[in-house]
């Protein structure tokens, strides 16, 4: 007999995780932490998908989570490459140092 | 008479030869081409005139080609010969040739301009061509061609010594002021075309009766506008005195004998239109009278010999306009002819004086020249006598014809004004003669003029005296009756007496026998003298009303105020660009924050919280 | 044949570009002159051959995008022939006059010239509005490059201004074309861009006015008329000599041609209703252009403003709605092509010699270069409107026509001839007359090549001025078929 977790609680958790991630993105300047915050936000979205899939008894939610995982993997691959370039070029991991693209 | 086209073609050919050779011809050849082409044209004109008179035709036209053909508008290049244009052609080629001959000597020593000798005769020949087109054209557009052409040549010749900016200014002034008149004339042409669907003069004159009085007045006044500009009459007279910047033969040919009388020709030619409008005729007469008086007073105060003659030219043309205004068409043309003789003589003689004094033109720096320069002196004396209209000179015949007709047709006012001006003419002419040729010598002349310079003086001198008899004998038949001094009335006696009186007073005053310095030096006398000297303030007014505001506005608006609209648009776009660019900080976290905020905003709107 | 000529110019452009690399710097110029000479010979032979029974000298029709009723329809009647011949003639003149002026990129320079002219020939012969717009854009881009690459000190600004004005007004025309096609589709059920078919389009008067204004905006900007004239002085001043010659001699005429061929015939009633305003714009252009010309101190800028004044005569002539006025406009197009192009060449020659266009740094140049002085005098006098030279015939006819339509406006426009005298003679005075400028020690005069070009242009002006009949006849045949005269 599985324990029923109310869907509202799961969605609250997802929302809190998302906001934590967003706050991390906005506040942290270190790129590594920025990336980690992004991961948290993505996982929050994934959690919401799984909860929704469970509620409706459909596999779609889990499939979406697989997509998100794939996306996260790809993103990390590209992002780490960029991080490497930034750390080489600017000799720092501060994201605000890379603001040459201002108007 | 089919070889009649040679008359204008010869000067044109002369111009082309001199133009194409770029001044590389030796001066002797230039003189030969320049004067020879006009001389030949004069001979041809003489032959054609002989044939024409002998044939007894009243007119003869020689169509050359269709100039423009658009719908109803089909002016052609057609030469038209009748008694009026014959007289004009004779004056232009005959007097023109004498002046060209004189100029071959006058310009000979002129080394101020490299290749100037050739350029001078090129312009002069072009002028003669244009002037002939003016009087020989059978339609108003061909007349306009000549009209503008002589204006151009006048511009070129006034500014002949182009290195002096003052000459350039005088030349431009002449061109622009006459262009104002030309504009009015062009409008007259437009009006005539839409009224008659043709610009051919004989056709217009034949149909002129169909004009309403208002339309006739409008046409008359517009054409008068053109005439006033070209003939230097009030209110467009201001360019003529400045035009004396040109070499003296130019002043003689263009600004005395021919071009400035083009207005008289135009009005005489279109007389049937003026006959339909008493108002227009009246205006013509008043313009003539006002110019006559204004310029004869001004001439009295001038010190430059050429400017005296210029003002005197204006006043003599004023006589012609007055004659036209009172319907004395033939007298006007008669005076035009005699004036061409004696005024050309006066200018050429003054040219000899000026040349002998090394380009000195101030009469108060001359004096005592009558023995040293006998030919110029006697020429000048004859010319002056004719100008003053002493009995038995040509000027006497023509001027009295005008005054007598003015009295008969116009009344006391015109006769009185004309007589007063005749007295003034005698006064300033006497002043000019006495100051220039008598008294103490101030500058030593050296005269080395050759036959080519004194011969024209002699011929013109003979014409100045004898031209009157010719006029009575020939023009009377050709142009219509001219009132002559055979009508002896008390009035005629007064008309004869006035110039004599003027000469007497002039002699008394300017030879110092009567001292008038108290009058002249008084406040009023001085003020009047200065006012007259400045040409009655016309230049002053035009300068302030037209020239200065125009130049000032041009200076202010150099960068084109209309462009401001587009420049402001561009500046606005650029400003918006800067504002938009401010949001592009290049900071990732700033973008993310905006993203989050935007999301919140959208959510709030969707959830209808806002 | 027409398409072949357009393609010839396009191909010659590519060839000229390539020839610089493979043959030498001189080759592009030779290719260019040859291409224009062939074009001119073709135009003259068509002229001498006389028109076919349809009144056309040449015509061509090839389907392009049948689905939308678009075809490559080219035809050449009297007016087109006149303009094409003028284009080819001035093409030769432009290349020869800038023989020594260009120092870099000869190949690409000639490429641009040839492509502009190809576009122009297309515009003058297109009988399909889509094609017309296509060629309209084809002329624009190479001209932009001519100014932007080979221009003078402020070329970036000038070329961008030129591009924006032409492009924005061109878009208005495109909108009008599309709307017209749509309106025609709704009433007839046929989608077509064909000029002949659209001539008969049944358009509601209120809409017709707006559509006409769309076309008018494009053509008035190209002409240019006040108040959208301000690109012209900048573009002219900055353009290289050949660019100025083409711009003044030909490109401005496409605006006038558009008015005569397209704006007025497509919307006769709307144009008639609009005629007062169009003539007013013309009068303002004449007076304001003349006034602005007087206020300039830059030789080229002065001539550019005088162009605006001359184009005003075209406006009043076209919108006078009578044969005299329309003929006047057309003769003005031709005569202005010669006189102003020559003055721009003179400005180029002076800049080449003195490295300035400022007239305050000239003065008394006649002393050094009498031939240049005489030729400048000649063309100034022509543009002042001296009878016997081409401009007079055009301007007199335009004014005469305008007088028959609206007397007060014609009177105001006639004042323009006084203003023309003021600025024309002022130009002459400040550059060639007056005290010789001590800074100019010596200046080489025109040699045989420059002189022969100038005499060619002068001869053309005298011809149009003394015997304009051939021009009038060519144009007259077209005017009769346009069907715009009441």
């Amino acid at each position: 007999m599985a324990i029923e977790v109310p869907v509202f609680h799961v969605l609250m958790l997802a929302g809190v995780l998302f906001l934590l991630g967003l706050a991390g993105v906005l506040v942290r300047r270190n790129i590594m932490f920025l990336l980690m915050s992004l991961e948290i936000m993505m996982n929050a979205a994934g959690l919401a998908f799984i909860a929704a899939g469970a509620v409706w008894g459909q596999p779609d939610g889990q499939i979406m989570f697989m997509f998100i995982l794939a996306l996260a993997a790809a993103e990390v691959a590209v992002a780490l490459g960029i991080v490497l370039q930034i750390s080489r070029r600017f000799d720092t991991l501060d994201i605000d140092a890379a603001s040459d693209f201002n108007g | 008479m089919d070889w009649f086209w040679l008359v204008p073609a010869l000067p044109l050919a002369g111009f082309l030869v001199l133009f194409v050779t770029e001044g590389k011809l030796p001066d002797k050849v230039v003189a030969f081409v320049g004067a020879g082409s006009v001389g030949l044209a004069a001979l041809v004109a003489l032959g054609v005139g002989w044939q024409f008179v002998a044939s007894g035709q009243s007119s003869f036209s020689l169509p050359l080609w269709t100039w423009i053909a658009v719908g109803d508008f089909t002016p052609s290049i057609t030469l038209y010969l009748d008694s009026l244009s014959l007289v004009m052609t004779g004056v232009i080629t005959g007097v023109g040739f004498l002046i060209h001959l004189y100029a071959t000597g006058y310009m000979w020593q002129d080394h101020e301009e490299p290749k100037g000798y050739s350029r001078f005769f090129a312009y002069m020949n072009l002028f003669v061509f244009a002037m002939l087109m003016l009087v020989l054209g059978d339609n108003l557009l061909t007349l306009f061609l000549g009209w503008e052409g002589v204006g151009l040549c006048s511009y070129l010749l006034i500014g002949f010594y182009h290195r002096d900016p003052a000459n350039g200014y005088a030349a431009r002034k002449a061109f622009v002021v006459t262009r104002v008149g030309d504009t009015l004339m062009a409008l007259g042409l437009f009006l005539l075309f839409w009224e008659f669907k043709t610009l051919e003069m004989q056709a217009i004159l034949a149909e002129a009766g169909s004009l309403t009085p208002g339309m006739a007045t409008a046409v008359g006044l517009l054409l008068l506008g053109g005439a006033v500009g070209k003939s230097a009459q009030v209110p467009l007279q201001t360019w003529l005195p400045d035009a004396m910047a040109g070499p003296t033969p130019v002043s003689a040919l263009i600004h005395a004998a021919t071009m400035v009388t083009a207005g008289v020709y135009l009005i005489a030619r279109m007389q049937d239109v003026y006959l339909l409008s008493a108002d227009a005729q009246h205006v013509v007469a008043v313009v003539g009278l006002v110019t006559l008086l204004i310029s004869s007073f001004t001439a009295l105060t001038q010190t430059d010999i050429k400017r005296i003659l210029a003002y005197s030219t204006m006043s003599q043309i004023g006589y012609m306009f007055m004659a036209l205004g009172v319907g004395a068409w033939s007298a006007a043309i008669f005076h035009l002819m005699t004036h061409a003789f004696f005024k050309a003589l006066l200018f050429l003689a003054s040219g000899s004086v000026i040349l002998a004094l090394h380009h000195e033109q101030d009469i108060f720096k001359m004096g005592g020249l009558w023995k040293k320069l006998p030919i110029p002196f006697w020429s000048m004396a004859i010319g002056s006598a004719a100008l003053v209209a002493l009995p038995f000179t040509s000027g006497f015949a023509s001027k009295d014809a005008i005054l007598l007709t003015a009295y008969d047709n116009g009344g006391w006012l015109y006769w009185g004004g004309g007589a007063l001006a005749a007295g003034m003419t005698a006064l300033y002419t006497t002043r000019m003669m006495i100051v220039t040729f008598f008294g103490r010598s101030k500058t030593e002349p050296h005269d080395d003029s050759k036959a080519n310079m004194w011969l024209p003086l002699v011929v013109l001198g003979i014409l100045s005296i004898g031209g009157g008899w010719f006029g009575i004998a020939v023009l009377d038949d050709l142009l219509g009756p001219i009132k002559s001094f055979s009508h002896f009335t008390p009035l005629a006696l007064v008309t004869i007496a006035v110039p004599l009186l003027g000469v007497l007073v002039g002699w008394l005053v300017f030879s110092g026998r009567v001292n008038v310095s108290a009058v002249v030096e008084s406040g009023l006398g001085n003020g009047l003298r200065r006012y007259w000297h400045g040409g009655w303030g016309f230049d002053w007014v035009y300068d302030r009303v037209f020239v200065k505001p125009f130049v000032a506005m041009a200076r202010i608006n150099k960068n084109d105020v209309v462009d401001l609209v587009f420049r402001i648009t561009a500046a606005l776009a650029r400003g918006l660009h800067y504002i938009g660019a401010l949001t592009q900080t290049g900071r990732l976290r700033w973008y993310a924050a905006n993203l989050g905020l935007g999301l919140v905003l959208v959510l709030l709107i969707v959830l209808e919280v806002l | 044949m027409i398409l072949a000529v357009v393609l010839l110019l396009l191909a010659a452009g590519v060839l000229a570009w390539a020839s610089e690399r493979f043959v030498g710097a001189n080759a592009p110029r030779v290719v260019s002159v040859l291409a224009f000479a062939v074009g001119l010979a073709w135009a003259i032979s068509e002229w001498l051959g006389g028109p076919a029974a349809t009144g056309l000298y040449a015509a061509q029709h090839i389907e392009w995008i049948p689905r939308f009723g678009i075809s490559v329809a080219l035809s050449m009647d009297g007016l087109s022939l006149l303009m094409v011949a003028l284009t080819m003639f001035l093409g030769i003149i432009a290349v020869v006059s800038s023989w020594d002026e260009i120092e870099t990129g000869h190949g690409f320079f000639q490429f641009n010239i040839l492509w502009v002219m190809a576009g122009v020939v297309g515009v003058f012969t297109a009988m399909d509005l889509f094609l017309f717009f296509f060629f309209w854009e084809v002329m624009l881009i190479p001209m932009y490059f001519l100014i932007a690459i080979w221009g003078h000190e402020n070329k970036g600004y000038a070329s961008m201004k030129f591009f924006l004005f032409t492009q924005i007004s061109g878009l208005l025309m495109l909108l009008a074309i599309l709307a017209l096609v749509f309106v025609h589709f709704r009433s007839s059920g046929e989608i077509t861009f064909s000029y002949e078919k659209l001539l008969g389009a049944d358009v509601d008067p209120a809409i017709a006015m707006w559509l006409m204004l769309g076309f008018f905006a494009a053509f008035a900007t190209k002409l240019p008329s006040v108040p959208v004239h301000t690109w012209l002085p900048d573009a002219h001043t900055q353009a290289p000599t050949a660019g100025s010659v083409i711009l003044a001699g030909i490109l401005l005429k496409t605006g006038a041609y558009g008015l005569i061929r397209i704006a007025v015939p497509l919307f006769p009633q709307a144009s008639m209703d609009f005629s007062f305003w169009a003539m007013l714009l013309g009068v303002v252009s004449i007076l304001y252009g003349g006034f602005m010309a007087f206020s300039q101190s830059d030789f080229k800028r002065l001539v550019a403003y005088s162009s605006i004044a001359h184009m005003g005569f075209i406006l009043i002539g076209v919108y006078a709605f009578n044969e005299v006025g329309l003929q006047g406009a057309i003769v003005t197009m031709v005569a202005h092509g010669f006189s102003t192009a020559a003055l721009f060449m003179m400005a180029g020659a002076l800049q080449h010699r003195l490295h300035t266009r400022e007239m305050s740094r000239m003065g008394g140049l006649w002393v050094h270069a009498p031939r240049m002085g005489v030729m400048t005098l000649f063309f100034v006098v022509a543009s002042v409107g001296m009878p016997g030279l081409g401009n007079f015939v055009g301007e007199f006819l335009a004014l005469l026509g305008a007088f028959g339509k609206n007397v007060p406006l014609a009177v105001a426009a006639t004042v323009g001839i006084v203003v023309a005298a003021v600025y024309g003679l002022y130009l002459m005075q400040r550059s060639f007359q007056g005290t010789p400028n001590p800074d100019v020690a010596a200046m080489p005069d025109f040699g045989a090549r420059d002189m022969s070009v100038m005499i060619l242009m002068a001869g053309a002006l005298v011809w149009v001025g003394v015997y304009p009949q051939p021009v009038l006849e060519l144009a007259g045949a077209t005017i009769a078929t346009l069907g715009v005269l009441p």
Side-chain angles (χ1 to χ4, degrees):
Chain A
M1 189 71 205
I3 301 165
E4 284 279 323
V5 182
V7 69
F8 179 71
H9 291 185
V10 182
L11 287 181
M12 277 306 285
L13 178 63
V16 168
L17 277 175
F18 187 84
L19 286 180
L20 277 174
L22 181 63
V25 167
L26 294 184
V27 174
R28 300 305 294 250
R29 296 192 346 191
N30 190 309
I31 303 179
M32 294 310 291
F33 284 97
L34 208 90
L35 285 175
M36 282 154 74
S37 302
L38 271 179
E39 288 299 319
I40 291 171
M41 287 168 74
M42 270 191 270
N43 282 310
L47 186 58
F49 269 116
I50 288 177
V55 168
W56 299 107
Q58 297 280 337
D60 303 27
Q62 292 169 18
I63 292 169
M64 283 312 286
F65 188 67
M66 302 303 267
F67 275 127
I68 290 174
L69 274 185
L71 177 81
E75 181 241 300
V76 165
V78 175
L80 285 180
I82 294 174
V83 168
L84 218 61
Q85 285 298 319
I86 286 180
S87 76
R88 275 201 198 141
R89 183 159 299 183
F90 299 103
D91 212 11
T92 173
L93 284 179
D94 184 351
I95 184 69
D96 286 355
S99 65
D100 281 1
F101 247 37
N102 60 353
Chain B
M1 282 189 280
D2 288 343
W3 41 298
F4 173 37
W5 58 271
L6 278 173
V7 177
L10 281 166
L12 180 65
F15 160 73
L16 287 176
V17 167
L18 296 176
F19 178 73
V20 169
T21 52
E22 295 185 326
K24 289 187 192 112
L25 292 178
D27 282 358
K28 283 202 167 147
V29 180
V30 170
F32 188 73
V33 172
S37 62
V38 180
L40 267 180
L43 284 179
V44 174
L46 193 68
V48 169
W50 187 266
Q51 265 189 318
F52 177 74
V53 172
S55 73
Q57 289 167 286
S58 68
S59 70
F60 170 74
S61 17
L62 182 66
L64 295 178
W65 72 87
T66 304
W67 185 2
I68 301 168
V70 180
D72 299 326
F73 186 66
T74 52
S76 62
I77 304 279
T78 298
L79 302 181
Y80 178 82
L81 194 67
D82 66 356
S83 44
L84 179 57
S85 50
L86 182 64
V87 172
M88 293 298 292
T89 307
V91 169
I92 295 161
T93 53
V95 177
F97 169 65
L98 291 173
I99 295 172
H100 271 74
L101 185 63
Y102 176 88
T104 57
Y106 185 87
M107 301 300 290
W108 188 258
Q109 296 297 330
D110 194 86
H111 297 302
E112 199 174 325
E113 285 293 317
K115 299 175 181 174
Y117 200 67
S118 170
R119 194 158 62 87
F120 179 83
F121 280 102
Y123 292 164
M124 290 286 270
N125 280 359
L126 184 64
F127 170 80
V128 172
F129 162 72
M131 192 69 207
L132 285 168
M133 290 311 289
L134 196 165
V135 298
L136 290 176
D138 86 320
N139 62 66
L140 283 164
L141 201 67
T142 317
L143 185 146
F144 196 68
L145 165 86
W147 192 271
E148 292 287 298
V150 292
L152 171 68
C153 297
S154 160
Y155 160 77
L156 292 171
L157 285 162
I158 295 170
F160 180 72
Y161 299 116
H162 54 75
R163 276 186 251 192
D164 185 352
N167 295 346
Y169 178 79
R172 273 179 296 139
K173 182 175 174 184
F175 194 81
V176 172
V177 172
T178 52
R179 258 267 153 138
V180 174
D182 298 351
T183 306
L184 296 174
M185 183 173 159
L187 290 173
L189 262 54
F190 300 154
L191 201 58
L192 280 171
F193 172 73
W194 287 108
E195 206 61 33
F196 295 104
K197 298 283 174 193
T198 179
L199 283 180
E200 206 192 317
M201 285 187 280
Q202 297 311 314
I204 289 174
L205 295 178
E207 300 273 311
S210 65
L211 282 176
T212 61
M215 196 58 89
T217 308
V219 170
L221 291 181
L222 287 171
L223 293 183
L224 174 67
V228 154
K230 205 55 107 190
S231 292
Q233 300 292 293
V234 171
L236 296 178
Q237 84 284 25
T238 59
W239 62 271
L240 186 63
D242 291 333
M244 295 300 125
T248 308
V250 172
S251 311
L253 179 61
I254 299 181
H255 305 120
T258 54
M259 185 188 86
V260 288
T261 56
V264 180
Y265 168 78
L266 175 68
I267 292 177
R269 177 58 88 192
M270 302 303 287
Q271 52 181 273
D272 291 2
V273 173
Y274 285 89
L275 284 174
L276 293 173
S277 165
D279 291 341
Q281 248 195 315
H282 196 66
V283 174
V284 174
V286 169
V287 163
L289 182 63
V290 170
T291 313
L292 172 61
L293 289 170
I294 285 183
S295 49
S296 52
F297 278 91
T298 306
L300 190 60
T301 59
Q302 299 297 319
T303 55
D304 181 319
I305 190 166
K306 285 181 72 179
R307 284 179 86 92
I308 296 175
L309 290 174
Y311 279 107
S312 138
T313 304
M314 273 157 60
S315 78
Q316 296 305 307
I317 297 170
Y319 272 119
M320 299 174 211
F321 269 67
M322 194 171 83
L324 295 170
V326 298
W329 317 104
S330 46
I333 297 297
F334 182 27
H335 194 56
L336 185 160
M337 187 186 80
T338 58
H339 175 255
F341 295 151
F342 66 72
K343 192 51 67 65
L345 175 65
L346 281 168
F347 264 115
L348 295 187
S350 77
S352 290
V353 174
I354 291 167
L355 201 61
L357 297 180
H358 308 287
H359 294 277
E360 180 55 64
Q361 301 193 0
D362 187 344
I363 54 172
F364 286 98
K365 292 181 180 158
M366 301 175 178
L369 296 171
W370 72 278
K371 262 188 187 160
K372 293 167 188 158
L373 298 172
I375 296 176
F377 168 69
W378 285 108
S379 307
M380 200 100 176
I382 292 169
S384 297
L387 171 64
V388 170
L390 295 183
F392 312 113
T393 61
S394 61
F396 172 76
S398 55
K399 197 181 279 183
D400 278 9
I402 290 176
L403 285 178
L404 294 175
T405 326
Y407 179 74
D408 285 352
N409 297 6
W412 280 101
L413 180 68
Y414 293 127
W415 179 84
L420 174 62
M424 290 304 296
T425 308
L427 202 59
Y428 71 70
T429 311
T430 314
R431 169 177 176 264
M432 176 182 78
M433 286 304 290
I434 288 177
V435 175
T436 308
F437 288 104
F438 297 97
R440 195 167 52 80
S441 169
K442 286 154 199 137
T443 314
E444 197 54 37
H446 89 112
D447 182 25
D448 52 359
S449 59
K450 306 241 167 19
N452 55 0
M453 287 180 73
W454 60 258
L455 194 67
L457 294 181
V458 172
V459 175
L460 283 171
I462 294 168
L463 285 173
S464 296
I465 294 175
W469 305 104
F470 170 78
I472 297 300
V474 177
L475 293 190
D476 210 49
D477 283 347
L478 273 178
L479 298 172
I482 296 171
K483 275 200 174 31
S484 69
F485 40 88
S486 55
H487 308 270
F488 258 117
T489 57
L491 199 73
L493 281 178
V494 178
T495 316
I496 294 171
V498 168
L500 294 172
L501 193 68
V503 172
L504 182 68
V505 173
W507 177 69
L508 289 174
V509 171
F510 296 108
S511 63
R513 281 172 175 78
V514 175
N515 194 342
V516 290
S517 57
V519 182
V520 175
E521 297 302 327
S522 67
L524 181 68
N526 227 338
L528 268 184
R529 200 182 63 201
R530 278 175 43 205
Y531 181 58
W532 291 346
H533 184 79
W536 296 59
F538 279 91
D539 268 327
W540 189 87
V541 170
Y542 290 165
D543 201 40
R544 270 155 193 77
V545 176
F546 298 111
V547 180
K548 288 228 167 93
F550 186 80
V551 173
M553 268 158 54
R555 199 157 288 155
I556 292 167
N557 195 30
K558 188 181 168 192
N559 287 326
D560 202 344
V561 69
V562 179
D563 199 26
L564 211 58
V565 176
F566 302 107
R567 283 203 295 260
I568 287 174
T569 312
L572 271 179
R574 199 169 290 129
L576 286 174
H577 154 76
Y578 282 128
I579 291 171
L582 281 183
T583 64
Q584 302 294 306
T585 57
R587 290 161 186 246
L588 194 66
R589 299 181 305 125
W590 160 257
Y591 295 154
N594 277 321
L595 201 71
L597 271 177
L599 189 69
V600 169
L601 206 67
V602 169
L603 274 177
L604 288 180
I605 290 171
V606 168
L607 298 176
E608 296 181 355
V609 178
L610 283 178
Chain C
M1 251 328 253
I2 304 174
L3 187 60
V5 171
V6 174
L7 291 176
L8 167 81
L9 293 180
L10 294 176
V14 176
L15 183 68
W17 196 353
S19 70
E20 188 192 11
R21 174 170 300 174
F22 299 113
V23 184
N26 232 353
R29 293 182 285 222
V30 176
V31 170
S32 208
V33 168
L34 283 179
F36 287 127
V38 169
L40 184 62
W42 167 73
I44 290 175
S45 72
E46 293 284 4
W47 188 347
L48 296 179
T54 52
L56 301 178
Y57 289 85
Q60 215 160 14
H61 193 279
I62 303 167
E63 291 290 337
W64 186 8
I65 313 174
R67 190 180 168 157
F68 296 121
I70 297 171
S71 55
V72 182
L74 298 162
S75 79
M76 194 163 73
D77 62 0
L79 178 60
S80 302
L81 174 63
L82 190 62
M83 297 322 292
V84 169
L86 183 70
T87 305
M88 298 299 182
F89 178 74
L90 284 179
I92 299 176
I93 298 285
V95 175
V96 173
S97 69
S98 61
W99 201 264
D100 298 328
E101 194 195 11
I102 301 303
E103 273 141 25
T104 55
H106 295 279
F108 191 44
F109 184 77
Q110 299 300 338
F111 169 83
N112 282 315
I113 287 191
L114 284 159
W115 275 55
V116 172
M117 295 307 225
V120 169
V121 171
V123 163
F124 284 144
T125 51
M127 282 290 129
D128 181 288
L129 291 187
F130 186 87
L131 190 68
F132 181 84
F133 184 76
F134 172 78
F135 281 126
W136 189 264
E137 295 295 309
V138 168
M139 337 185 269
L140 172 61
I141 314 286
M143 194 64 220
Y144 169 79
F145 282 130
L146 282 179
I147 302 174
I149 300 178
W150 292 276
H152 302 306
E153 65 282 353
N154 205 6
K155 56 194 178 187
Y157 173 77
S159 55
M160 188 50 81
K161 201 169 179 178
F162 163 73
F163 185 82
L164 285 178
F165 269 83
T166 320
Q167 190 66 354
I168 290 171
S169 63
L171 285 178
L172 289 176
M173 174 165 74
L174 180 64
L175 278 180
I177 292 176
L178 293 177
L180 177 64
V181 169
F182 185 66
V183 168
H184 180 253
F185 169 65
R186 277 218 301 212
S187 66
S188 72
E190 183 192 10
I191 297 185
T192 181
F193 282 81
S194 158
Y195 171 74
E196 282 100 349
K197 287 182 182 157
L198 290 175
L199 271 184
D202 179 26
V203 190
D204 180 67
I207 298 173
M209 178 57 92
W210 284 105
L211 297 187
M212 190 279 297
L213 285 177
F215 283 102
F216 184 80
F219 298 142
T221 307
K222 198 81 173 183
L223 198 55
S225 154
V226 173
V228 282
H229 63 281
T230 65
W231 63 269
L232 183 87
D234 286 313
H236 263 313
T237 312
Q238 299 303 327
T241 303
S244 291
V245 169
I246 292 174
L247 200 54
I250 304 295
L251 284 207
L252 305 190
K253 308 306 177 320
T254 59
Y257 177 84
L259 288 176
I260 296 171
R261 172 77 70 195
I262 296 189
V264 176
L266 281 181
F267 311 101
Q269 190 54 46
S271 301
M272 185 75 102
D273 296 341
F274 185 66
S275 64
F276 172 79
W277 299 104
M279 283 176 76
L280 185 67
L281 284 180
V283 171
V284 172
S285 295
I286 293 170
L287 296 178
Y288 190 71
F291 169 68
M292 285 310 297
F294 174 75
S295 68
Q296 300 306 311
S297 60
D298 180 314
F299 192 110
K300 245 180 154 178
R301 236 180 140 76
L302 194 159
V303 180
Y305 271 111
S306 82
S307 263
I308 297 169
H310 286 122
M311 293 298 115
F313 285 103
I314 292 182
L315 264 184
I316 63 167
V318 170
Y319 283 91
F321 278 95
N322 50 45
E323 194 185 353
V324 177
L326 207 48
Q327 284 280 23
I330 292 168
V331 176
T332 304
M333 284 160 74
V334 176
H336 174 266
F338 295 126
S339 68
T340 307
L343 283 175
F344 278 123
M345 282 154 61
M346 198 58 76
L350 285 174
Q351 180 160 27
H352 193 68
R353 287 163 169 77
L354 305 173
H355 307 289
T356 182
R357 298 183 304 268
E358 274 300 311
M359 286 184 288
S360 57
R361 293 173 62 189
M362 301 177 188
L365 297 179
W366 190 299
V367 178
H368 306 298
R371 280 176 167 179
M372 289 176 77
V374 167
M375 291 328 288
T376 310
L377 179 67
F378 180 90
F379 291 109
V380 162
V381 163
S383 89
V384 160
M386 187 56 53
L389 302 176
N391 301 54
F392 170 77
V393 176
E395 285 169 18
F396 190 87
L397 289 176
L399 287 171
L400 186 62
F403 195 87
K405 170 89 178 170
N406 186 322
V407 173
L409 286 180
V411 170
T414 312
V415 174
I417 67 174
V418 179
V419 183
V422 173
Y423 70 71
L425 301 184
Y426 197 45
L427 170 75
M428 196 60 210
Q429 177 71 30
R430 284 198 289 183
S431 52
F432 281 92
Q433 296 170 334
T435 322
N437 191 328
D439 296 341
V440 184
M443 185 175 89
D445 203 352
F446 270 165
R449 191 186 69 224
D450 289 317
M451 208 56 194
S452 48
V453 169
M454 284 291 169
I455 285 175
L456 218 54
M457 305 278 268
L461 273 179
V462 171
W463 171 57
V464 178
V466 174
Y467 189 66
Q469 222 46 46
V471 173
L472 295 174
E473 273 162 19
L474 271 181
T478 300
I479 289 172
T481 59
L482 286 179
V484 294
L485 299 179

